[in-house]
Amino acid sequence: MDKKINAFLKVMDATDNSTGGGSASSIAGAMAAGLAGMVARLSMGKKDLAPTEHYEAIATQAETLCRKLFDGGSKDSEAFAVVSAAFGMPKGTDEEKMARSRAIKDGMTRCAEVPLQNATLCSEVLIMCARLEKSYNTTTASDLECARHLAGAGLKGCAANVRVNLPYLKDDLLVRNLESKLEAILNSGGE
């Protein structure tokens, strides 16, 4: 958990250039999932609300999404580190140039795919929030609203990070595939 906490703190460190918007967006989604889970837990057993099993399922899903999104923030930082390292590779010989070019391509692909995965998870958090809005403990209304806002910001931030990396990919088919997947996520009803 300390590694995850450190990744979270790096997002808040204005002097760190390795952890950016993709990580911050993923962590926003993780916080949203955590809040949604809390709302579900605080709704269990309340009179005139859905059965406890409904909230238990949401709380379990929230815990899974929180963990995956928190990990996704670390993966986003790691993808950036891969690209940074690739640009620092030697390029004196033809073999070195080819290896460097391949490493940059692989790294840039990862820099687009990781936030796409995180966008999917943020969309799932938004859908989970919508499920909760139908029946929940209204004393947690502000928590649920915060979860929705954080998940929406996470989704938009992840989408921005996918889009910013697409021009660096030299594979038109891959770009179209990633764009198509992103549009499907954005149109899935999560936002």
Side-chain angles (χ1 to χ4, degrees):
M1 188 63 146
D2 288 339
K3 182 179 177 184
K4 292 178 183 178
I5 299 289
N6 287 336
F8 176 73
L9 295 175
K10 283 179 75 174
V11 170
M12 299 186 313
D13 180 359
T15 64
D16 174 41
N17 296 330
S18 67
T19 304
S23 295
S25 298
S26 187
I27 290 172
M31 290 189 298
L35 283 170
M38 181 189 76
V39 170
R41 289 187 304 277
L42 292 174
S43 299
M44 290 180 192
K46 298 292 181 188
K47 186 179 178 185
D48 298 326
L49 294 182
T52 296
E53 296 78 28
H54 171 74
Y55 301 111
E56 287 174 345
I58 291 174
T60 299
Q61 180 187 17
E63 186 178 324
T64 300
L65 288 169
C66 183
R67 185 180 65 259
K68 286 181 177 181
L69 280 159
F70 214 49
D71 290 343
S74 295
K75 289 177 183 175
D76 194 89
S77 294
E78 291 164 7
F80 179 78
V82 167
V83 170
S84 293
F87 276 107
M89 290 174 69
K91 51 185 175 178
T93 68
D94 286 343
E95 292 82 19
E96 288 176 339
K97 288 177 186 174
M98 285 178 51
R100 180 179 182 270
S101 178
R102 198 169 33 254
I104 290 170
K105 178 186 175 223
D106 292 346
M108 293 307 297
T109 300
R110 189 170 169 196
C111 281
E113 289 176 339
V114 168
L116 182 69
Q117 293 165 356
N118 291 333
T120 299
L121 297 172
C122 286
S123 177
E124 290 178 25
V125 175
L126 280 166
I127 292 167
M128 184 175 53
C129 288
R131 285 178 51 213
L132 274 169
E133 285 174 349
K134 294 174 183 169
S135 176
Y136 69 100
N137 179 347
T138 57
T139 63
T140 63
S142 64
D143 301 303
L144 184 55
E145 183 176 349
C146 287
R148 240 185 12 261
H149 290 311
L150 285 166
L155 175 59
K156 289 175 184 173
C158 289
N161 276 273
V162 172
R163 289 184 181 122
V164 78
N165 287 299
L166 293 179
Y168 299 101
L169 303 178
K170 305 300 183 212
D171 181 338
D172 290 339
L173 182 60
L174 175 62
V175 169
R176 284 194 305 274
N177 185 29
L178 293 172
E179 286 174 331
S180 176
K181 287 180 179 179
L182 180 59
E183 287 309 309
I185 293 164
L186 295 172
N187 293 324
S188 69
E191 180 64 346

